[in-house]
Amino acid sequence: MKTLSILIFVGLLFAGILHITAQNCGCSPDLCCSQFGYCGSDETYCGTGCQEGPCFGSSPTNDVSIASIVTDAFFNGIVDQSDGGCVGRGFYTRAAFLEAVENHPQFGRVGSEEDSRREIAAFFAHVTHETGHFCFIEEINGASQDYCDETVTQYPCNPSKLYYGRGPIQLTWNFNYGPAGQSIGFDGLGNPEIVATNAVISFRTALWFWTTNVQSVLSQGFGATIRAINGRLECDGANPDTVSARVRYFTEYCNQLGVTPGDNLRC
């Protein structure tokens, strides 16, 4: 009987493992969706990289109005610095951004109002650099690059699709398109092009990447956000000019939003 009980227990445990490994986002409201797309309730699921649900530290802690900070003047002040013929003009709009923010309530609402303003300044500093003041929707020459990491078998590349940079934060690689799509609700691996054709989804991919990979390091200074976004190619002296550009935008936007940029600006 003991042997039979053990076998039953092992069988149930194995079935449970199969269930867990087969999961994706779409968890019940009381569970978190981990950065890898599985449902659970402990630190592994609700901690770093948590995409949805009662994520640890992701609940809004203030009642800051994002719309009152990202005003028409602020947003259009960025767009107006791009060339009039840019493809991004008319695609990237404040209305699309604000609609996207409604689905990411943790963005810009953690900590004090100063923290919120500083986070918003940091987000738009990176977006400005990545898109050339909202000029570019897609990465320049991106179609000639190979952004398929075949070792990430959880998010297998579609051989007829390309995962180059698209959108405000220039979402790149299959291991970002896959989970972004799961979290937001589109086929990231089968239809990556939608990030360049649907402005709300485009902004949502940027906010997803931000809240999943960047927001947790904000307290370490702006330099840490550079490292989280493009550290290998820019930090530790790899490309000081691009680091300087990001810092310049951040400082400028902090001034516009009435907040100090803080320390540790470079990576």
Side-chain angles (χ1 to χ4, degrees), residues 169-187:
I169 212 75
Q170 293 289 281
L171 190 73
T172 311
W173 294 101
N174 55 307
F175 53 73
N176 283 320
Y177 274 93
Q182 290 175 350
S183 177
I184 295 168
F186 72 95
D187 186 357

Side-chain angles (χ1 to χ4, degrees), residues 197-245:
T197 59
N198 184 306
V200 174
I201 289 179
S202 196
F203 270 116
R204 287 199 63 186
T205 63
L207 293 168
W208 169 84
F209 185 88
W210 185 268
T211 55
T212 301
N213 300 284
V214 185
Q215 193 175 54
S216 62
V217 304
L218 284 169
S219 62
Q220 301 172 32
F222 183 70
T225 70
I226 302 175
R227 188 176 296 279
I229 290 174
N230 209 22
R232 182 175 62 85
L233 298 178
E234 297 183 22
C235 295
D236 303 316
N239 197 332
D241 289 340
T242 59
V243 171
S244 295

Side-chain angles (χ1 to χ4, degrees), residues 13-189:
L13 179 61
F14 182 67
I17 292 173
L18 287 177
H19 174 68
I20 292 172
T21 56
Q23 282 179 0
N24 253 317
C25 286
C27 311
S28 61
D30 60 324
L31 296 179
C32 299
C33 178
S34 77
Q35 60 182 320
F36 301 112
Y38 304 138
C39 301
S41 58
D42 61 17
E43 177 69 30
T44 303
Y45 303 90
C46 300
T48 302
C50 175
Q51 300 181 51
E52 293 177 340
C55 303
F56 298 162
S58 67
S59 298
T61 57
N62 62 45
D63 58 357
V64 163
S65 167
I66 303 299
S68 69
I69 297 175
V70 184
T71 61
D72 280 323
F74 177 80
F75 191 95
N76 293 333
I78 299 174
V79 176
D80 289 345
Q81 294 184 62
S82 64
D83 184 86
C86 287
V87 293
R89 285 199 172 213
F91 179 78
Y92 296 117
T93 65
R94 177 175 176 266
F97 166 74
L98 293 178
E99 183 176 342
V101 164
E102 291 179 3
N103 295 282
H104 299 270
Q106 70 274 31
F107 173 77
R109 294 196 180 100
V110 177
S112 66
E113 181 174 346
E114 284 194 351
D115 292 329
S116 295
R117 290 176 177 271
R118 194 173 291 112
E119 178 178 357
I120 290 169
F123 175 80
F124 279 98
H126 289 298
V127 167
T128 297
H129 177 75
E130 295 289 340
T131 65
H133 294 90
F134 287 122
C135 181
F136 304 108
I137 303 174
E138 299 181 302
E139 177 184 355
I140 299 173
N141 297 323
S144 65
Q145 305 298 315
D146 179 16
Y147 290 114
C148 173
D149 187 341
E150 295 181 353
T151 66
V152 184
T153 56
Q154 183 182 355
Y155 300 110
C157 301
N158 183 320
S160 65
K161 300 296 180 179
L162 298 172
Y163 304 103
Y164 56 81
R166 297 179 178 91
I169 212 75
Q170 293 289 281
L171 190 73
T172 311
W173 294 101
N174 55 307
F175 53 73
N176 283 320
Y177 274 93
Q182 290 175 350
S183 177
I184 295 168
F186 72 95
D187 186 357
L189 296 175

Side-chain angles (χ1 to χ4, degrees), residues 246-260:
R246 293 181 193 265
V247 172
R248 184 170 65 253
Y249 294 135
F250 175 60
T251 304
E252 177 185 341
Y253 296 156
C254 281
N255 290 336
Q256 290 183 30
L257 298 180
V259 67
T260 59

